[in-house]
Amino acid sequence: MTTTRRPRADAVRNAERIVRAGRAAFHELGADTPLEEVARQAGVGVATLYRHFSGKEQLLRAIVLQQFTEEVEPAIAQALADPDGWHGVVTLLEAAIGMAAREHTTFIAAKDTALLPELAGRYFGPLQTLVRRAQDAGQMRADLEPDDLPRLLTMLVATLRVAQNPELGWRRYLALLLDALRPAAATPLPPAGPRRTRADGCD
Amino acid sequence: MTTTRRPRADAVRNAERIVRAGRAAFHELGADTPLEEVARQAGVGVATLYRHFSGKEQLLRAIVLQQFTEEVEPAIAQALADPDGWHGVVTLLEAAIGMAAREHTTFIAAKDTALLPELAGRYFGPLQTLVRRAQDAGQMRADLEPDDLPRLLTMLVATLRVAQNPELGWRRYLALLLDALRPAAATPLPPAGPRRTRADGCD
């Protein structure tokens, strides 16, 4: 029994090691880093890497999924458990934009994979719940609609692209945008047209 | 004398006609429209088009310059003459984002030409003057800095990319952002890191 479990555990460990190495390599050297270099940094052979990931897109998907699971999902759980709806909204916005800022290279490279819309679905549902909670409590302007939320994220992510260092500065524009979401600031908003259907809200 | 002036006037008219045809064609058919089609719509030969514009990039630059001159520069003059600083700020933001929304295809295609940083220089100077005027009058939060302005435009332009129809909806996000700029809304802002030096502020 141990002998059959062993290779599987090894495989899982290898896959995880490759994902972490890819995450570090893309972060430091850019998303153009060849997979051979990722394999080297993970301490596995190139053949092993390709057994787990058929190409860079698959590796990018695995990296973004790992980031989301480790950084955003705990924030979602924490925010939903927060008795303060507004505080929960802030937690969730910080988690998403913070992840995009820290892992900007990977994030931009993964933008066109099918994964982002899937994760967006897992993110915007809870965010919408929290926004409604904050609105019901009078902590947030009442005229903000669910369809606005991906666009707010889009606005925040856009500031990363013009920053010399994406890890700096996003808190300033988040703070600015949060001021716009408070009921005290609210002037009537004109309607928005529909979003494009792809609409992962992340770029 | 008339015979020497005549061809020059014709040349100017032709160039202008090509720019208008290019503007309409890119708007309707996308920036991939071949220059042959632009020449056809302008009613000139392909050789004439190439005598005026050595390639698509040159034509795009001429189009954006025409748009800026016709739509944004009058708004700058009007805003600077406005006794109400806040109103002037709104006029200028509306002019820039409105142009980007209406001419989104051309704008995106021209993004990487050298022209945008040059126009940004002609735009952000007056905007900065107006912001200072509105801040001095207590109409606008005092902690907004000149370096924030291109980022605000970046945020607004980003919403266009996720809109099904870029001409719809931008007023909603402009209104939201304007609410954030008012003194009533202001909570202290964290500092921003430096922008990238290219920083045309338009994407």
Side-chain angles (χ1 to χ4, degrees), chain A residues 154-173 176-177, chain B residues 93 123-124 127 144-159 177 181 190-197 199-203:
Chain A
T154 296
M155 291 168 87
L156 290 168
V157 169
T159 67
L160 302 179
R161 260 178 309 139
V162 292
Q164 252 182 48
N165 177 351
E167 293 188 54
L168 292 176
W170 61 267
R171 287 184 188 276
R172 180 174 180 87
Y173 300 98
L176 195 70
L177 212 56
Chain B
L93 290 175
Y123 176 79
F124 286 110
L127 182 58
L144 208 76
E145 291 167 14
D147 213 36
D148 292 324
L149 304 176
R151 305 208 215 200
L152 295 184
L153 242 327
T154 297
M155 291 168 88
L156 290 168
V157 169
T159 67
L177 212 55
L181 305 184
R195 280 186 301 127
R196 284 214 309 256
T197 38
D200 54 33
C202 297
D203 194 21

Side-chain angles (χ1 to χ4, degrees), chain A residues 148 161 173 179 187 196, chain B residues 148 161 172-173 179 187 196:
Chain A
D148 293 324
R161 260 178 309 139
Y173 300 98
D179 281 348
T187 57
R196 285 214 307 258
Chain B
D148 292 324
R161 262 178 307 142
R172 181 174 179 87
Y173 299 98
D179 282 348
T187 56
R196 284 214 309 256

Side-chain angles (χ1 to χ4, degrees), chain A residues 45-135:
Chain A
V46 174
T48 303
L49 186 148
Y50 278 102
R51 206 156 45 237
H52 288 287
F53 305 101
S54 59
K56 189 171 279 185
E57 188 174 323
Q58 282 66 33
L59 180 56
L60 282 169
R61 284 173 55 97
I63 291 173
V64 173
L65 189 60
Q66 189 190 70
Q67 289 165 351
F68 187 86
T69 308
E70 293 182 357
E71 298 178 27
V72 181
E73 278 192 340
I76 294 177
Q78 187 194 323
L80 286 172
D82 198 319
D84 184 324
W86 171 253
H87 193 240
V89 170
V90 175
T91 300
L92 271 205
L93 290 175
E94 277 178 348
I97 183 75
M99 170 181 144
R102 270 188 307 279
E103 315 275 359
H104 198 231
T105 315
T106 316
F107 192 78
I108 292 294
K111 189 162 77 70
D112 294 323
T113 72
L115 184 65
L116 289 189
E118 187 191 314
L119 295 184
R122 282 155 66 181
Y123 176 79
F124 286 110
L127 182 58
Q128 205 173 311
T129 302
L130 290 161
V131 165
R132 213 174 302 120
R133 213 181 277 174
Q135 285 175 322

Side-chain angles (χ1 to χ4, degrees), chain B residues 93-152:
Chain B
L93 290 175
E94 276 178 349
I97 183 78
M99 170 183 144
R102 271 188 306 281
E103 316 276 359
H104 197 232
T105 315
T106 317
F107 191 79
I108 291 294
K111 190 162 75 72
D112 294 323
T113 72
L115 185 64
L116 289 190
E118 186 191 314
L119 294 184
R122 283 155 66 181
Y123 176 79
F124 286 110
L127 182 58
Q128 205 174 310
T129 303
L130 290 160
V131 164
R132 213 174 303 122
R133 212 181 278 173
Q135 285 175 322
D136 289 347
Q139 297 171 300
M140 210 167 154
R141 61 189 304 155
D143 56 356
L144 208 76
E145 291 167 14
D147 213 36
D148 292 324
L149 304 176
R151 305 208 215 200
L152 295 184

